[in-house]
Amino acid sequence: MKQLAVKKWFNSGTPWIWLNAGAISIALVAVFGLLVLILARGMGHFWPENVNAFYYENTKNALTIIAEVIESEKVPLESLHNLNTQYAGDEQGNVTRHLVKTGNRDILGSDFRWLYDIDLLKVEQPEELMVLERVEWGNFYGYLKAVYENGQMVASKEQAWPEFIKRLHRTIEIREQILELEQGDIGTINYQLERLRLKQRRLQLDNELTDSAIKKLAAQREALSQQYEVLLKQTGQLYRKINRDSIHATIMDGSEVTVPLEKIIKAWQPNKMSLWDKLFFYIHNLWDFITEDPREANTEGGIFPAIFGTVMMVILMAILVTPLGVIAAVYLREYARQGLLTRVIRIAVNNLAGVPSIVYGVFGLGFFVYFLGGNIDALFFPEALPAPTFGTPGLMWSSLTLALLTLPVVIVATEEGLSRIPKSLREGSLGLGATKAETLWRIVLPMASPAIMTGLILAVARAAGEVAPLMLVGVVKLAPSLPLDGNFPFLHLDRKFMHLGFHIYDVGFQSPNVEAARPLVYATSFLLVVVIVTLNLTAINLRNRLREKYRALDG
């Protein structure tokens, strides 16, 4: 009787429903657990942790180490070799060790080290300890001693910190003015001068370089050169202003160092900060990470160019793949004769979805970059040769390569949508006198638009996370200029760009400072997930609106 009941239970399909629900639950828990891990490890990096002063002393010497504790763990005392101490460890024979960030890489040689609780006298958190984020060489830890202007001391002791912060704000404003001039006005003039050079070269190749054309080009070049000289003088004045101030600080070995304010990005005293101060500082750090350019081999600064490049590439890919996929699906479903050849083409399209992405990258490099781009340069940009314009990896070829990679997904999803549209709607439209093209454009495609958006969502989800093909067709470690700027033609499809996925690979596996790069890998990974989810949610919202709009026709 029990066997019959069990058999009936199995035949009802209930066990498989529970197994399916359990598998989905485990997958969801794993995904959310991974996101929480990435969020905690990555976003915690921007919190201003307190800085400790470790005081060590034994019979031979005394040592003070100023550092920020990254993590702590217990290790067996017997695993430490060449240990000359009477320390016996805790009850289990273990000793606590701390991974700490000492900063001052230009002085100490490295940012991180391990500290052991052996001969440790005490640990304090002096309120006067300061942390400086610098343009290069990472963080600086020490005590502020005095503020100097043109080599003359202007503040010390209690007055030093307020004076330092006031002058640092001035320095930051000047630095922003310099960047605006160099990357904005001066960069625009350099771009226009290069355009004039190429224009003259083009006229020369076409045998149209007349005396009047030469004079006109020379006049334009002279006007730009005069503007350049004016901007160069303004930049020189700003550099003289920014070089005015400096500070003297003492580090953990008691020595005094001089730090120019032009090398400092921000300064804080974490041991003095309240919870609200730290929360405000945390939000400011996170905003800087999202909006600034990277520094120090991508281990410092922000990731804005990578976010911009990722979003721009995905948008271009979507613009390219959608019409190609829809046209191919419409032809296969609505116009092609349903025979052996059509079935073979569908099988080929489905198989294309399983081709390794690096193969698409090799194809894109060979066909798009070398063949297509090289011919475009020869036909339309001969004045720039032998320097390539489109005959080199860039944003356009990356978008096209990923469009090919995701094309099967869009074709299959669109075909599925077209097959679900009732035949009676087509016949009714044709019966009212509409042509097949009008029926397709006004009835079929609008009703299939939710399926098209589903294919696009799947394409975006895959393309945004791809890295391997992009390494061959356009992505780089650091792009000096964004693909979109204020210079004509504004959108520069020939430029190389940064990508969040490649940025994660570069920081995680190519960084010379592994410990400093580790939290940035987590933070960048989380932002990549956020970007992909945002793009997908935007497409899903548009799909749902289209579905509601054409629900009446479907009924």
Side-chain angles (χ1 to χ4, degrees), residues 467-492:
V467 177
L470 299 180
M471 296 170 66
L472 300 176
V473 290
V475 74
V476 291
K477 177 185 178 74
L478 183 64
S481 301
L482 295 176
L484 186 66
D485 59 21
N487 298 319
F488 184 83
F490 310 118
L491 179 60
H492 305 275

PDB file of all heavy atoms in Angstrom, residues 467-492:
ATOM      1  N   VAL A 467      34.753  39.962 -21.698  1.00  0.00           N
ATOM      2  CA  VAL A 467      36.063  40.602 -21.612  1.00  0.00           C
ATOM      3  C   VAL A 467      37.005  40.084 -22.691  1.00  0.00           C
ATOM      4  O   VAL A 467      37.704  40.861 -23.348  1.00  0.00           O
ATOM      5  CB  VAL A 467      36.700  40.382 -20.220  1.00  0.00           C
ATOM      6  CG1 VAL A 467      38.100  40.982 -20.165  1.00  0.00           C
ATOM      7  CG2 VAL A 467      35.833  40.975 -19.129  1.00  0.00           C
ATOM      8  N   ALA A 468      37.022  38.764 -22.900  1.00  0.00           N
ATOM      9  CA  ALA A 468      38.016  38.143 -23.783  1.00  0.00           C
ATOM     10  C   ALA A 468      38.041  38.755 -25.182  1.00  0.00           C
ATOM     11  O   ALA A 468      39.122  39.145 -25.670  1.00  0.00           O
ATOM     12  CB  ALA A 468      37.782  36.634 -23.845  1.00  0.00           C
ATOM     13  N   PRO A 469      36.897  38.885 -25.897  1.00  0.00           N
ATOM     14  CA  PRO A 469      36.976  39.472 -27.243  1.00  0.00           C
ATOM     15  C   PRO A 469      37.376  40.941 -27.239  1.00  0.00           C
ATOM     16  O   PRO A 469      38.034  41.408 -28.162  1.00  0.00           O
ATOM     17  CB  PRO A 469      35.560  39.280 -27.805  1.00  0.00           C
ATOM     18  CG  PRO A 469      34.695  39.133 -26.615  1.00  0.00           C
ATOM     19  CD  PRO A 469      35.523  38.472 -25.573  1.00  0.00           C
ATOM     20  N   LEU A 470      36.991  41.649 -26.174  1.00  0.00           N
ATOM     21  CA  LEU A 470      37.296  43.084 -26.126  1.00  0.00           C
ATOM     22  C   LEU A 470      38.790  43.352 -25.994  1.00  0.00           C
ATOM     23  O   LEU A 470      39.278  44.402 -26.413  1.00  0.00           O
ATOM     24  CB  LEU A 470      36.551  43.734 -24.954  1.00  0.00           C
ATOM     25  CG  LEU A 470      35.020  43.659 -25.001  1.00  0.00           C
ATOM     26  CD1 LEU A 470      34.426  44.343 -23.790  1.00  0.00           C
ATOM     27  CD2 LEU A 470      34.490  44.297 -26.273  1.00  0.00           C
ATOM     28  N   MET A 471      39.520  42.428 -25.408  1.00  0.00           N
ATOM     29  CA  MET A 471      40.964  42.601 -25.273  1.00  0.00           C
ATOM     30  C   MET A 471      41.654  42.655 -26.637  1.00  0.00           C
ATOM     31  O   MET A 471      42.757  43.183 -26.757  1.00  0.00           O
ATOM     32  CB  MET A 471      41.548  41.462 -24.437  1.00  0.00           C
ATOM     33  CG  MET A 471      41.045  41.444 -23.003  1.00  0.00           C
ATOM     34  SD  MET A 471      41.500  39.956 -22.097  1.00  0.00           S
ATOM     35  CE  MET A 471      43.273  40.131 -22.015  1.00  0.00           C
ATOM     36  N   LEU A 472      40.984  42.125 -27.669  1.00  0.00           N
ATOM     37  CA  LEU A 472      41.563  42.115 -29.008  1.00  0.00           C
ATOM     38  C   LEU A 472      41.054  43.244 -29.883  1.00  0.00           C
ATOM     39  O   LEU A 472      41.726  43.611 -30.857  1.00  0.00           O
ATOM     40  CB  LEU A 472      41.250  40.777 -29.698  1.00  0.00           C
ATOM     41  CG  LEU A 472      41.779  39.516 -29.022  1.00  0.00           C
ATOM     42  CD1 LEU A 472      41.301  38.280 -29.770  1.00  0.00           C
ATOM     43  CD2 LEU A 472      43.297  39.535 -28.974  1.00  0.00           C
ATOM     44  N   VAL A 473      39.882  43.802 -29.575  1.00  0.00           N
ATOM     45  CA  VAL A 473      39.260  44.730 -30.524  1.00  0.00           C
ATOM     46  C   VAL A 473      38.973  46.121 -29.954  1.00  0.00           C
ATOM     47  O   VAL A 473      38.159  46.847 -30.534  1.00  0.00           O
ATOM     48  CB  VAL A 473      37.949  44.129 -31.081  1.00  0.00           C
ATOM     49  CG1 VAL A 473      38.232  42.962 -31.995  1.00  0.00           C
ATOM     50  CG2 VAL A 473      37.011  43.716 -29.956  1.00  0.00           C
ATOM     51  N   GLY A 474      39.585  46.504 -28.842  1.00  0.00           N
ATOM     52  CA  GLY A 474      39.385  47.905 -28.471  1.00  0.00           C
ATOM     53  C   GLY A 474      39.585  48.318 -27.041  1.00  0.00           C
ATOM     54  O   GLY A 474      39.827  49.489 -26.757  1.00  0.00           O
ATOM     55  N   VAL A 475      39.492  47.403 -26.069  1.00  0.00           N
ATOM     56  CA  VAL A 475      39.582  47.819 -24.679  1.00  0.00           C
ATOM     57  C   VAL A 475      41.052  47.937 -24.271  1.00  0.00           C
ATOM     58  O   VAL A 475      41.911  47.192 -24.757  1.00  0.00           O
ATOM     59  CB  VAL A 475      38.828  46.829 -23.770  1.00  0.00           C
ATOM     60  CG1 VAL A 475      39.595  45.525 -23.616  1.00  0.00           C
ATOM     61  CG2 VAL A 475      38.553  47.430 -22.407  1.00  0.00           C
ATOM     62  N   VAL A 476      41.356  48.905 -23.409  1.00  0.00           N
ATOM     63  CA  VAL A 476      42.728  49.151 -22.971  1.00  0.00           C
ATOM     64  C   VAL A 476      42.750  49.357 -21.459  1.00  0.00           C
ATOM     65  O   VAL A 476      41.716  49.562 -20.828  1.00  0.00           O
ATOM     66  CB  VAL A 476      43.344  50.393 -23.671  1.00  0.00           C
ATOM     67  CG1 VAL A 476      43.587  50.126 -25.137  1.00  0.00           C
ATOM     68  CG2 VAL A 476      42.445  51.619 -23.489  1.00  0.00           C
ATOM     69  N   LYS A 477      43.948  49.326 -20.912  1.00  0.00           N
ATOM     70  CA  LYS A 477      44.148  49.505 -19.476  1.00  0.00           C
ATOM     71  C   LYS A 477      43.779  50.917 -19.032  1.00  0.00           C
ATOM     72  O   LYS A 477      43.146  51.121 -17.987  1.00  0.00           O
ATOM     73  CB  LYS A 477      45.606  49.216 -19.119  1.00  0.00           C
ATOM     74  CG  LYS A 477      45.977  49.423 -17.657  1.00  0.00           C
ATOM     75  CD  LYS A 477      47.475  49.227 -17.472  1.00  0.00           C
ATOM     76  CE  LYS A 477      47.891  49.467 -16.024  1.00  0.00           C
ATOM     77  NZ  LYS A 477      47.482  48.364 -15.153  1.00  0.00           N
ATOM     78  N   LEU A 478      44.162  51.916 -19.808  1.00  0.00           N
ATOM     79  CA  LEU A 478      43.890  53.311 -19.463  1.00  0.00           C
ATOM     80  C   LEU A 478      43.675  54.099 -20.743  1.00  0.00           C
ATOM     81  O   LEU A 478      44.545  54.128 -21.617  1.00  0.00           O
ATOM     82  CB  LEU A 478      45.049  53.912 -18.661  1.00  0.00           C
ATOM     83  CG  LEU A 478      44.855  55.354 -18.176  1.00  0.00           C
ATOM     84  CD1 LEU A 478      43.694  55.432 -17.195  1.00  0.00           C
ATOM     85  CD2 LEU A 478      46.121  55.884 -17.528  1.00  0.00           C
ATOM     86  N   ALA A 479      42.520  54.718 -20.880  1.00  0.00           N
ATOM     87  CA  ALA A 479      42.187  55.522 -22.054  1.00  0.00           C
ATOM     88  C   ALA A 479      42.302  57.001 -21.684  1.00  0.00           C
ATOM     89  O   ALA A 479      41.582  57.464 -20.800  1.00  0.00           O
ATOM     90  CB  ALA A 479      40.786  55.207 -22.540  1.00  0.00           C
ATOM     91  N   PRO A 480      43.201  57.741 -22.334  1.00  0.00           N
ATOM     92  CA  PRO A 480      43.383  59.154 -21.959  1.00  0.00           C
ATOM     93  C   PRO A 480      42.181  60.035 -22.281  1.00  0.00           C
ATOM     94  O   PRO A 480      41.968  61.051 -21.641  1.00  0.00           O
ATOM     95  CB  PRO A 480      44.609  59.572 -22.781  1.00  0.00           C
ATOM     96  CG  PRO A 480      44.651  58.605 -23.926  1.00  0.00           C
ATOM     97  CD  PRO A 480      44.092  57.325 -23.421  1.00  0.00           C
ATOM     98  N   SER A 481      41.391  59.648 -23.295  1.00  0.00           N
ATOM     99  CA  SER A 481      40.237  60.467 -23.702  1.00  0.00           C
ATOM    100  C   SER A 481      39.000  59.589 -23.810  1.00  0.00           C
ATOM    101  O   SER A 481      39.079  58.442 -24.258  1.00  0.00           O
ATOM    102  CB  SER A 481      40.504  61.144 -25.054  1.00  0.00           C
ATOM    103  OG  SER A 481      41.659  61.969 -24.990  1.00  0.00           O
ATOM    104  N   LEU A 482      37.867  60.151 -23.415  1.00  0.00           N
ATOM    105  CA  LEU A 482      36.604  59.432 -23.536  1.00  0.00           C
ATOM    106  C   LEU A 482      36.148  59.413 -24.995  1.00  0.00           C
ATOM    107  O   LEU A 482      36.470  60.327 -25.766  1.00  0.00           O
ATOM    108  CB  LEU A 482      35.532  60.089 -22.673  1.00  0.00           C
ATOM    109  CG  LEU A 482      35.750  60.053 -21.156  1.00  0.00           C
ATOM    110  CD1 LEU A 482      34.642  60.830 -20.460  1.00  0.00           C
ATOM    111  CD2 LEU A 482      35.817  58.631 -20.641  1.00  0.00           C
ATOM    112  N   PRO A 483      35.373  58.391 -25.397  1.00  0.00           N
ATOM    113  CA  PRO A 483      34.883  58.355 -26.783  1.00  0.00           C
ATOM    114  C   PRO A 483      33.905  59.475 -27.115  1.00  0.00           C
ATOM    115  O   PRO A 483      33.653  59.739 -28.287  1.00  0.00           O
ATOM    116  CB  PRO A 483      34.190  56.985 -26.877  1.00  0.00           C
ATOM    117  CG  PRO A 483      34.724  56.187 -25.735  1.00  0.00           C
ATOM    118  CD  PRO A 483      35.024  57.172 -24.658  1.00  0.00           C
ATOM    119  N   LEU A 484      33.344  60.114 -26.094  1.00  0.00           N
ATOM    120  CA  LEU A 484      32.383  61.190 -26.301  1.00  0.00           C
ATOM    121  C   LEU A 484      32.916  62.453 -25.642  1.00  0.00           C
ATOM    122  O   LEU A 484      33.201  62.466 -24.446  1.00  0.00           O
ATOM    123  CB  LEU A 484      31.024  60.807 -25.696  1.00  0.00           C
ATOM    124  CG  LEU A 484      29.851  61.754 -25.940  1.00  0.00           C
ATOM    125  CD1 LEU A 484      29.488  61.773 -27.422  1.00  0.00           C
ATOM    126  CD2 LEU A 484      28.650  61.347 -25.111  1.00  0.00           C
ATOM    127  N   ASP A 485      33.080  63.526 -26.433  1.00  0.00           N
ATOM    128  CA  ASP A 485      33.577  64.791 -25.892  1.00  0.00           C
ATOM    129  C   ASP A 485      32.998  65.948 -26.690  1.00  0.00           C
ATOM    130  O   ASP A 485      32.085  65.761 -27.501  1.00  0.00           O
ATOM    131  CB  ASP A 485      35.114  64.822 -25.874  1.00  0.00           C
ATOM    132  CG  ASP A 485      35.733  64.642 -27.255  1.00  0.00           C
ATOM    133  OD1 ASP A 485      35.032  64.878 -28.260  1.00  0.00           O
ATOM    134  OD2 ASP A 485      36.932  64.275 -27.335  1.00  0.00           O
ATOM    135  N   GLY A 486      33.542  67.152 -26.485  1.00  0.00           N
ATOM    136  CA  GLY A 486      33.023  68.345 -27.141  1.00  0.00           C
ATOM    137  C   GLY A 486      33.658  68.661 -28.467  1.00  0.00           C
ATOM    138  O   GLY A 486      33.351  69.692 -29.073  1.00  0.00           O
ATOM    139  N   ASN A 487      34.543  67.805 -28.977  1.00  0.00           N
ATOM    140  CA  ASN A 487      35.209  68.031 -30.251  1.00  0.00           C
ATOM    141  C   ASN A 487      34.462  67.305 -31.369  1.00  0.00           C
ATOM    142  O   ASN A 487      34.079  66.149 -31.213  1.00  0.00           O
ATOM    143  CB  ASN A 487      36.654  67.531 -30.203  1.00  0.00           C
ATOM    144  CG  ASN A 487      37.489  68.266 -29.170  1.00  0.00           C
ATOM    145  OD1 ASN A 487      37.373  69.492 -29.021  1.00  0.00           O
ATOM    146  ND2 ASN A 487      38.310  67.546 -28.434  1.00  0.00           N
ATOM    147  N   PHE A 488      34.290  68.004 -32.497  1.00  0.00           N
ATOM    148  CA  PHE A 488      33.622  67.408 -33.656  1.00  0.00           C
ATOM    149  C   PHE A 488      34.387  66.169 -34.115  1.00  0.00           C
ATOM    150  O   PHE A 488      35.611  66.184 -34.161  1.00  0.00           O
ATOM    151  CB  PHE A 488      33.530  68.441 -34.787  1.00  0.00           C
ATOM    152  CG  PHE A 488      32.784  67.949 -35.991  1.00  0.00           C
ATOM    153  CD1 PHE A 488      31.400  68.005 -36.034  1.00  0.00           C
ATOM    154  CD2 PHE A 488      33.471  67.420 -37.079  1.00  0.00           C
ATOM    155  CE1 PHE A 488      30.718  67.553 -37.134  1.00  0.00           C
ATOM    156  CE2 PHE A 488      32.791  66.959 -38.187  1.00  0.00           C
ATOM    157  CZ  PHE A 488      31.417  67.022 -38.223  1.00  0.00           C
ATOM    158  N   PRO A 489      33.711  65.062 -34.414  1.00  0.00           N
ATOM    159  CA  PRO A 489      32.257  64.833 -34.513  1.00  0.00           C
ATOM    160  C   PRO A 489      31.607  64.372 -33.207  1.00  0.00           C
ATOM    161  O   PRO A 489      30.581  63.698 -33.252  1.00  0.00           O
ATOM    162  CB  PRO A 489      32.172  63.742 -35.578  1.00  0.00           C
ATOM    163  CG  PRO A 489      33.422  62.954 -35.387  1.00  0.00           C
ATOM    164  CD  PRO A 489      34.467  63.905 -34.925  1.00  0.00           C
ATOM    165  N   PHE A 490      32.214  64.708 -32.089  1.00  0.00           N
ATOM    166  CA  PHE A 490      31.665  64.484 -30.741  1.00  0.00           C
ATOM    167  C   PHE A 490      31.728  63.003 -30.314  1.00  0.00           C
ATOM    168  O   PHE A 490      32.208  62.701 -29.244  1.00  0.00           O
ATOM    169  CB  PHE A 490      30.234  65.020 -30.621  1.00  0.00           C
ATOM    170  CG  PHE A 490      30.090  66.427 -31.109  1.00  0.00           C
ATOM    171  CD1 PHE A 490      29.266  66.738 -32.175  1.00  0.00           C
ATOM    172  CD2 PHE A 490      30.823  67.451 -30.525  1.00  0.00           C
ATOM    173  CE1 PHE A 490      29.160  68.040 -32.633  1.00  0.00           C
ATOM    174  CE2 PHE A 490      30.715  68.762 -30.971  1.00  0.00           C
ATOM    175  CZ  PHE A 490      29.884  69.053 -32.034  1.00  0.00           C
ATOM    176  N   LEU A 491      31.184  62.087 -31.121  1.00  0.00           N
ATOM    177  CA  LEU A 491      31.285  60.662 -30.817  1.00  0.00           C
ATOM    178  C   LEU A 491      32.412  60.068 -31.662  1.00  0.00           C
ATOM    179  O   LEU A 491      32.298  59.987 -32.893  1.00  0.00           O
ATOM    180  CB  LEU A 491      29.963  59.950 -31.109  1.00  0.00           C
ATOM    181  CG  LEU A 491      29.949  58.431 -30.850  1.00  0.00           C
ATOM    182  CD1 LEU A 491      30.268  58.132 -29.388  1.00  0.00           C
ATOM    183  CD2 LEU A 491      28.611  57.825 -31.247  1.00  0.00           C
ATOM    184  N   HIS A 492      33.494  59.664 -31.012  1.00  0.00           N
ATOM    185  CA  HIS A 492      34.693  59.186 -31.706  1.00  0.00           C
ATOM    186  C   HIS A 492      34.720  57.660 -31.639  1.00  0.00           C
ATOM    187  O   HIS A 492      35.234  57.063 -30.690  1.00  0.00           O
ATOM    188  CB  HIS A 492      35.939  59.785 -31.070  1.00  0.00           C
ATOM    189  CG  HIS A 492      35.911  61.285 -31.003  1.00  0.00           C
ATOM    190  ND1 HIS A 492      36.309  62.090 -32.040  1.00  0.00           N
ATOM    191  CD2 HIS A 492      35.497  62.127 -30.017  1.00  0.00           C
ATOM    192  CE1 HIS A 492      36.161  63.362 -31.709  1.00  0.00           C
ATOM    193  NE2 HIS A 492      35.668  63.409 -30.481  1.00  0.00           N
TER     194      HIS A 492
END
